């Protein structure tokens, strides 16, 4: 029988060939089947990159397809490899042993982090690697935040600065500023400082910062308590006045609505109604007594006077109340001069 050269396609696992030989001496048909000799088997090719099926902040569900050509008898086995995005080394094998499965759940990952994965297909005659493909875990709420720092604390404002969380776990959309447990302000997620206005003087405050992504928020611990600086008192009531004698006035007062610090002394001022000249009646230290009797020689009966209170805080300043009016009590006339008498005659005097 003559030799026949058979071209074997390595992409096929099995083949059948039928040859019809015609001989000048004999007419016959031969049908035979042949199994590819193992020397014609090679590693798989056409391995496609894996695909992401679903993602959570700490896991990825990865699926992949069979190779386009296995190039050997039987089914291939698979390994899944991973590395951090843009990392040249540290390739991690995710499977403890090769598997025939076409999917795998990867856990213990970092939120909102980009990883690269590839599939390794093996058939006993070699390995084939897919291209790397990137996959990103889902966002989560930010990691822990440190307490903010307070700078430039004044009587009515303070500057707050903070560090972005070490693990942002997503895109920080905004920060909330809490003052004594109440939401005070909201700023963009790119910010790391804020000036807090409208604070009350000589008041204790604590602050917190809360960073938020689309998946939730993380609140920092509180700052150490701080006290704003003192300021001049506010809301000083006008004094209450009463004239008990024609030449004395009883003055009583109430503490300020907002001391804004430690009130160290108060001053009483007086003026005659309709004039601009102001006289200091007395300066008193803060005490339990909240009244004073003005018996100045400048007082006269049946005359209108005005009084006001000035109060000062330690290192904070001074402010005053509105004027209050009083009329001293009437009295008998004073300063009546003896008459001049002129005798006009025996029976008359002018």
């Amino acid at each position: 029988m003559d030799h026949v050269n058979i071209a074997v396609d390595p992409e096929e696992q099995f083949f059948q060939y039928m040859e019809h030989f015609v001989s000048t001496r004999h007419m016959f048909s031969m049908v035979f089947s042949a199994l590819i000799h193992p020397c014609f088997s090679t590693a798989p090719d056409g391995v496609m990159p894996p695909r992401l099926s679903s993602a959570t902040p700490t896991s990825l569900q990865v699926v992949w397809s069979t190779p386009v050509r296995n190039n050997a008898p039987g089914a291939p086995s698979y390994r899944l490899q991973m590395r951090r995005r843009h990392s040249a080394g540290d390739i991690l094998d995710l499977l403890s042993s090769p598997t025939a499965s076409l999917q795998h759940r990867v856990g213990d990952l970092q939120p909102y982090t980009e990883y690269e994965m590839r599939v390794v297909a093996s058939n006993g005659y070699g390995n084939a690697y897919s291209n790397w493909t990137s996959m990103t875990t889902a966002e989560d709420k930010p990691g822990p935040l440190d307490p903010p720092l307070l700078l430039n604390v004044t009587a009515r404002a303070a500057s707050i600065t903070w560090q972005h969380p070490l693990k942002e776990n997503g895109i920080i959309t905004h920060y909330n500023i809490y003052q004594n447990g109440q939401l005070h302000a909201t700023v963009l997620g790119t910010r790391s400082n804020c000036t807090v206005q409208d604070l009350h003087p000589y008041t204790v405050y604590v602050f917190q910062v809360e960073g938020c992504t689309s998946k939730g928020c993380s609140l920092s611990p509180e700052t150490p308590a701080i006290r704003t600086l003192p300021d001049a008192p506010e809301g000083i009531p006008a004094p209450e006045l009463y004239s008990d004698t024609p030449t004395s006035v009883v003055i009583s007062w109430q503490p300020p609505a907002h001391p804004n610090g430690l009130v160290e002394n108060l001053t009483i001022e007086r003026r005659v109604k309709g004039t601009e000249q102001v006289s200091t009646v007395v300066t008193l230290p803060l005490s339990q007594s909240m009244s004073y009797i003005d018996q100045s020689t400048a007082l006269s009966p049946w005359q209108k006077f005005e009084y006001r209170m000035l109060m000062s805080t330690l290192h904070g300043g001074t402010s005053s109340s509105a004027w209050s009016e009083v009329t001293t009590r009437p009295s008998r006339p004073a300063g009546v001069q003896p008459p001049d008498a002129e005798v006009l005659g025996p029976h008359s005097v002018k």
Side-chain angles (χ1 to χ4, degrees), residues 26-149:
H26 301 282
M27 298 288 294
F28 66 93
S29 296
M30 175 183 284
V31 178
F32 65 93
S33 296
L35 179 66
I36 295 178
H37 194 275
C39 66
F40 295 111
S41 299
T42 62
D45 57 24
V47 181
M48 302 301 294
R51 304 179 304 279
L52 177 63
S53 173
S54 65
T56 72
T58 57
S59 69
L60 295 170
Q61 185 71 28
V62 184
V63 297
W64 57 90
S65 304
T66 58
V68 175
R69 293 170 294 274
N70 185 43
N71 296 335
S77 61
Y78 305 97
R79 289 180 292 136
L80 186 62
Q81 295 183 331
M82 180 182 73
R83 68 184 181 187
R84 292 290 288 268
R85 175 73 167 162
H86 305 305
S87 174
D90 300 327
I91 296 176
L92 178 65
D93 281 304
L94 298 177
L95 304 174
S96 58
S97 60
T99 180
S101 175
L102 296 176
Q103 62 179 342
H104 181 68
R105 180 183 177 275
V106 186
D108 298 325
L109 302 179
Q110 296 297 319
Y112 200 62
T113 302
E114 192 171 11
Y115 295 91
E116 289 185 319
M117 296 191 188
R118 70 180 178 185
V119 173
V120 184
S122 305
N123 63 8
Y125 297 96
N127 300 323
Y129 296 83
S130 73
N131 291 331
W132 289 100
T133 185
S134 61
M135 301 179 182
T136 302
T137 50
E139 289 191 73
D140 199 358
K141 69 178 184 180
L145 285 84
D146 292 328
L149 298 176

Side-chain angles (χ1 to χ4, degrees), residues 88-278:
D90 300 327
I91 296 176
L92 178 65
D93 281 304
L94 298 177
L95 304 174
S96 58
S97 60
T99 180
S101 175
L102 296 176
Q103 62 179 342
H104 181 68
R105 180 183 177 275
V106 186
D108 298 325
L109 302 179
Q110 296 297 319
Y112 200 62
T113 302
E114 192 171 11
Y115 295 91
E116 289 185 319
M117 296 191 188
R118 70 180 178 185
V119 173
V120 184
S122 305
N123 63 8
Y125 297 96
N127 300 323
Y129 296 83
S130 73
N131 291 331
W132 289 100
T133 185
S134 61
M135 301 179 182
T136 302
T137 50
E139 289 191 73
D140 199 358
K141 69 178 184 180
L145 285 84
D146 292 328
L149 298 176
L150 297 177
L151 306 172
N152 304 322
V153 178
T154 66
R156 301 178 186 273
S159 296
I160 300 177
T161 182
W162 60 88
Q163 296 290 332
H164 297 293
L166 185 61
K167 294 182 178 180
E168 296 189 5
N169 293 342
I171 298 174
I172 304 293
T173 56
H174 62 278
Y175 286 98
N176 295 321
I177 313 301
Y178 287 89
Q179 168 189 306
N180 289 356
Q182 300 296 317
L183 179 62
H184 181 80
T186 298
V187 300
L188 294 176
T190 55
R191 294 273 300 275
S192 60
N193 59 79
C194 176
T195 298
V196 180
Q197 307 281 359
D198 303 324
L199 300 181
H200 297 298
Y202 206 65
T203 302
V204 175
Y205 290 98
V206 294
F207 293 91
Q208 293 171 280
V209 172
E210 184 178 52
C212 298
T213 67
S214 63
K215 297 300 182 180
C217 301
S218 292
L219 185 64
S220 76
E222 292 181 344
T223 61
I226 60 103
R227 186 188 295 274
T228 50
L229 298 181
D231 203 354
E234 295 176 292
I236 303 174
E240 297 177 1
L241 307 175
Y242 171 73
S243 176
D244 60 340
T245 71
T247 56
S248 68
V249 174
V250 177
I251 308 157
S252 59
W253 59 88
Q254 297 296 325
H258 304 289
N260 293 340
L262 298 175
V263 179
E264 55 181 348
N265 58 53
L266 58 90
T267 298
I268 303 174
E269 291 185 337
R270 179 190 65 231
R271 70 183 179 186
V272 176
K273 182 175 176 59
T275 67
E276 297 297 328
Q277 184 176 355
V278 177

Side-chain angles (χ1 to χ4, degrees), residues 333-346:
V336 179
Q337 300 296 320
D340 292 330
E342 178 184 350
V343 177
L344 299 179

